[in-house]
Amino acid sequence: MRTQAEYIGEIFLHTSKLKSEQEKIEYLRMVENLALISLLKFAYDDKYTTNYKEVPEYESDDSPLGYSISGLHKEYSRIPYFLNTNIYIKNDKMRNRKLRNILEIIHWTETPILEAIILKKELPHISKDLAIKAFPNLLMVS
């Protein structure tokens, strides 16, 4: 079943509703996009590390889906600011302010995904094993 998921949160929620692993793999391949692949890499590639123990406090966006200011499909390219990469923001105050801003402008269904990436925890509904089965080249050196 194909959905027209624009928001990354929709992809994760739809994946959680599928019964079999094969259905999940087929669905993920069907909705594959650069944002999804990038998020899975940030979450599961060991080259991306973090100094975060917790995310800054923020007010969750409670807008209906589609009415948030932004979404992870737009904000994924800013995630390297918060991970140990060559564009990591060294100033704690500035980095935390940027992270809080992103958490407040994306839909509430996407904040657990971003938090998991920043804290290097398993993503909701898409395990590392499932991600690799769906995208075998995901963790290959790029």
Side-chain angles (χ1 to χ4, degrees), residues 46-123:
D46 292 336
K47 78 177 180 182
Y48 298 108
T49 61
T50 185
N51 294 328
Y52 278 95
K53 303 287 184 239
E54 60 185 17
V55 296
E57 286 189 31
Y58 65 94
E59 289 190 36
S60 189
D61 175 36
D62 61 356
S63 303
L65 192 60
Y67 289 92
S68 297
I69 294 171
S70 193
L72 285 177
H73 64 288
K74 294 179 182 175
E75 302 297 331
Y76 75 92
S77 64
R78 295 169 62 186
I79 293 175
Y81 297 155
F82 315 109
L83 301 174
N84 294 325
T85 67
N86 61 343
I87 60 172
Y88 176 75
I89 299 172
K90 291 179 176 54
N91 182 297
D92 291 343
K93 193 172 186 176
M94 183 187 297
R95 187 180 63 254
N96 287 333
R97 187 173 53 238
K98 282 191 179 294
L99 179 55
R100 183 173 49 254
N101 180 49
I102 293 171
L103 288 163
E104 289 181 347
I105 65 173
I106 63 176
H107 193 262
W108 64 269
T109 58
E110 296 185 328
T111 57
I113 299 164
L114 181 53
E115 286 185 28
I117 291 168
I118 298 300
L119 299 173
K120 295 303 281 186
K121 296 184 176 181
E122 187 157 300
L123 295 173

